[in-house]
């Protein structure tokens, strides 16, 4: 038994050193160019634990701080069981994102595949990804053109905020998750919060989310194993909804105007791909958007001038409308300062710290070699917080966006290139409409000094408790 254990350790170490020689010294020997500076850290684990060490999401954390000052903005390391090039450089990040499937490719850790499944758009590559993505983009265009799209979002915001009127304290993260979940379930499956399927999907979905960020041990009872099971239960629920829709047909009276209705008419996707598609939309559209909402509200709470300007913008928009009239696209387009607040919350708060890629070929960048097969991590937050690119980078300053192009290389909160987030507009509309009703009906104060932490997924440790006070306008 003991001999077996030591043999296993020996094999691991040999594997590690063999990998090190092949990956580290061979390129030098073959004169492909020097590797970026850096160190591989411990055998097997490398520097993964230090890299994942939590830190406030509006900072780059001590690991990146230390490594960038020692080795520069591009350095090598050993992360997630693979030799890795980490990039905190805006040009290299942009180059990586723009060369998807040519020089680099999306490459999420295996356990994520285990939970999402290989046909998930979030992890699929090559032609499968292209096909899924084309359907996603056409679905987004068609759903946005529907008149109920905006009204459904606004009604959900009004309903959540309505439930605050008699309360003095709320846990904002919980409320924001309720809001984004209700919006996405309505948009995708046409379900309202009081339908039994909604509660069932939410329960499974929460288990699923916990597993995504847990230790990937497929042993019965672990969060990872429970997540895999929860995913298969959500699939069954979605399949049952699809079957029910087919059985009833899509006559005029059965039209719900949701994603699923359009999806059912798409011939280029198999049944399993359709189910996986629904899961991707739920997953992509839930946590990210609610975290961004929480960050916007948190940073606004610390910037009374920005809050006053935001309130004024929404009061002006409301003053042009009849009492109770819903917002439309024209109103949304008038929300210039709101857009600046959202962009600044994205830049300063960093919902997604980095994305996972691997090099498909040997790539030369500024004389350095990024060897084929290595992991490549473009760190989006490092560019957002780089003081040489953004004046007063460590300040929440929404006014910077009055003169700065939001579609620039130094601002990529939704990724870039052919994997750029298809839900970015939906997320922004949700937040803008929620803020519209929040600032006109409530005063709030954050309690307990909670702040957003990157684990790297972003979380407010105590759920962001708010003291709220309702006032009538
Ligand atoms: C604040 C909100 C959001 C942020 C910060 C965000 C961020 C991102 C980022 C950085 C990526 C690129 C991942 C990569 O390159 O590997 C991405 C992809 C994706 N997002 Fe979002 N997202 C948000 C909201 C949404 C919403 C509302 C939806 C769906 C309704 C969504 C669905 C997706 C999907 C399906 C992908 C995969 C796209 C592909 O691989 O082609 N996201 N998101």
């Amino acid at each position: 038994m003991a001999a077996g254990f030591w043999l296993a350790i020996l094999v691991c170490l040999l594997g590690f050193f063999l990998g090190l020689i092949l990956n580290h010294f061979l390129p030098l020997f073959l004169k492909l160019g020097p590797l970026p500076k850096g160190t591989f850290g411990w055998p097997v684990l490398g520097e993964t634990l230090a890299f994942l060490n939590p830190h406030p999401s509006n900072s780059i954390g001590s690991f990146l701080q230390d490594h960038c000052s020692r080795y520069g903005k591009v350095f090598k390391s050993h992360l997630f069981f693979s030799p890795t090039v980490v990039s905190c450089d805006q040009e290299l990040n942009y180059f990586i994102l723009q060369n998807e499937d040519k020089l680099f490719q999306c490459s999420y850790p295996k356990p994520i595949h285990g939970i999402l499944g290989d046909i998930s758009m979030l992890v699929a590559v090559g032609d499968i990804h292209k096909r899924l993505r084309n359907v996603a983009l056409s679905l987004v265009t068609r759903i946005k053109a529907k008149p109920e799209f905006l009204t459904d979002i606004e009604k959900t915001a009004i309903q959540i905020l309505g439930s605050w009127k008699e309360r003095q304290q709320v846990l904002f993260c919980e409320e924001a998750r309720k809001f984004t979940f209700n919006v996405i379930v309505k948009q995708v499956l046409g379900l309202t919060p009081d339908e039994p399927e909604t509660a069932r999907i939410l329960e499974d979905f929460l288990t699923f989310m916990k597993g995504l960020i847990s230790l990937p041990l497929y042993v019965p009872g672990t969060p990872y194993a429970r997540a895999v099971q929860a995913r298969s239960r959500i699939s069954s629920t979605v399949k049952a909804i699809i079957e029910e829709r087919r059985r009833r047909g899509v006559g005029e009276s059965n039209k719900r105007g949701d994603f699923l209705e359009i999806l059912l008419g798409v011939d280029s996707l198999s049944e399993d791909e359709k189910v996986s598609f629904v899961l991707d939309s739920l997953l992509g559209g839930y946590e990210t958007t609610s975290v961004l909402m929480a960050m916007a509200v948190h940073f606004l709470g610390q910037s009374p001038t920005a809050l006053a300007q935001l309130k004024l913008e929404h009061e002006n928009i409301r003053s042009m409308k009849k009492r109770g009239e819903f917002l439309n696209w024209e109103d949304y387009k008038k929300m210039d300062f709101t857009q600046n607040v959202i962009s600044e919350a994205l830049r300063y708060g960093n919902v997604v710290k980095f994305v996972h890629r691997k090099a498909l070929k040997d790539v030369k960048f500024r004389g350095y070699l990024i060897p084929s097969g290595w992991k490549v991590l473009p760190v989006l937050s490092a560019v957002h917080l780089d003081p040489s690119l953004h004046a007063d980078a460590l300040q929440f300053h929404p006014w910077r966006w009055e003169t700065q192009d939001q579609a620039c290389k130094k601002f990529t909160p939704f990724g870039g290139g052919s994997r750029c987030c298809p839900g970015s507009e939906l997320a922004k509309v949700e937040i803008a409409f929620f803020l519209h009703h929040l600032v006109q009906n409530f005063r709030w104060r954050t309690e307990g000094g909670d702040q957003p932490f990157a684990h790297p997924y972003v979380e407010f440790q105590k759920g962001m408790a708010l003291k709220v006070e309702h006032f009538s306008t």
Side-chain angles (χ1 to χ4, degrees), residues 255-424:
K255 282 206 163 178
R256 289 203 183 213
D258 53 37
F259 233 65
L260 193 61
E261 188 181 294
I262 307 174
L263 197 61
L264 284 179
V266 173
D267 296 327
S268 58
L269 295 186
S270 69
E271 193 82 353
D272 281 340
E273 283 171 337
K274 287 181 187 173
V275 172
S276 178
F277 206 87
V278 169
L279 273 170
D280 285 347
S281 319
L282 296 179
L283 179 66
Y286 169 65
E287 189 72 16
T288 46
T289 314
S290 65
V291 164
L292 180 60
M293 280 173 67
M295 290 201 289
V297 169
H298 174 73
F299 297 138
L300 280 169
Q302 298 170 344
S303 176
T305 330
L307 180 57
Q309 187 168 337
L310 186 75
K311 199 166 165 224
L312 193 64
E313 176 166 277
H314 288 284
E315 281 166 358
N316 284 341
I317 292 170
R318 191 42 61 189
S319 69
M320 318 277 258
K321 302 191 74 76
K322 292 194 210 104
R323 199 174 168 76
E325 191 186 345
F326 288 114
L327 295 165
N328 55 36
W329 283 111
E330 272 67 50
D331 300 319
Y332 178 63
K333 291 209 186 85
K334 287 183 207 142
M335 299 181 184
D336 291 330
F337 189 66
T338 312
Q339 290 299 338
N340 295 343
V341 167
I342 295 173
S343 295
E344 187 62 352
L346 282 162
R347 182 198 71 81
Y348 187 53
N350 295 295
V351 178
V352 177
K353 178 173 166 177
F354 64 92
V355 293
H356 289 264
R357 295 292 185 270
K358 70 173 178 204
L360 293 176
K361 298 177 182 156
D362 286 335
V363 179
K364 277 263 187 125
F365 181 80
R366 290 201 197 123
Y368 284 117
L369 170 73
I370 303 174
S372 171
W374 276 38
K375 204 169 191 26
V376 182
L377 298 183
V379 183
L380 314 177
S381 62
V383 174
H384 295 164
L385 298 172
D386 186 336
S388 69
L389 299 171
H390 303 273
D392 296 321
L394 299 182
Q395 304 281 325
F396 178 76
H397 188 72
W399 298 273
R400 75 178 72 240
W401 297 102
E402 285 170 358
T403 51
Q404 225 175 71
D405 183 7
Q406 310 208 352
C408 57
K409 287 184 192 171
K410 58 186 181 183
F411 182 58
T412 52
F414 295 106
S418 61
R419 300 197 84 102
C420 190
C421 177
S424 56

Side-chain angles (χ1 to χ4, degrees), residues 200-212:
R200 202 178 320 144
I201 294 175
L202 179 59
E203 198 188 327
D204 285 332
F205 201 71
L206 293 175
T207 315
F208 175 70
M209 295 291 297
K210 272 192 203 133
L212 267 183

Side-chain angles (χ1 to χ4, degrees), residues 140 144 149 153 179-180 183-184 284-290 292-293 332 339 342 346 351 414 421-435:
V140 168
K144 266 168 55 185
F149 172 71
I153 297 174
F179 171 64
T180 56
V183 166
I184 200 75
Y286 169 65
E287 189 72 16
T288 46
T289 314
S290 65
L292 180 60
M293 280 173 67
Y332 178 63
Q339 290 299 338
I342 295 173
L346 282 162
V351 178
F414 295 106
C421 177
S424 56
E425 184 81 32
L426 170 61
K428 288 183 190 174
V429 172
E430 284 183 58
I431 297 170
F433 281 21
F434 191 88
L435 287 174

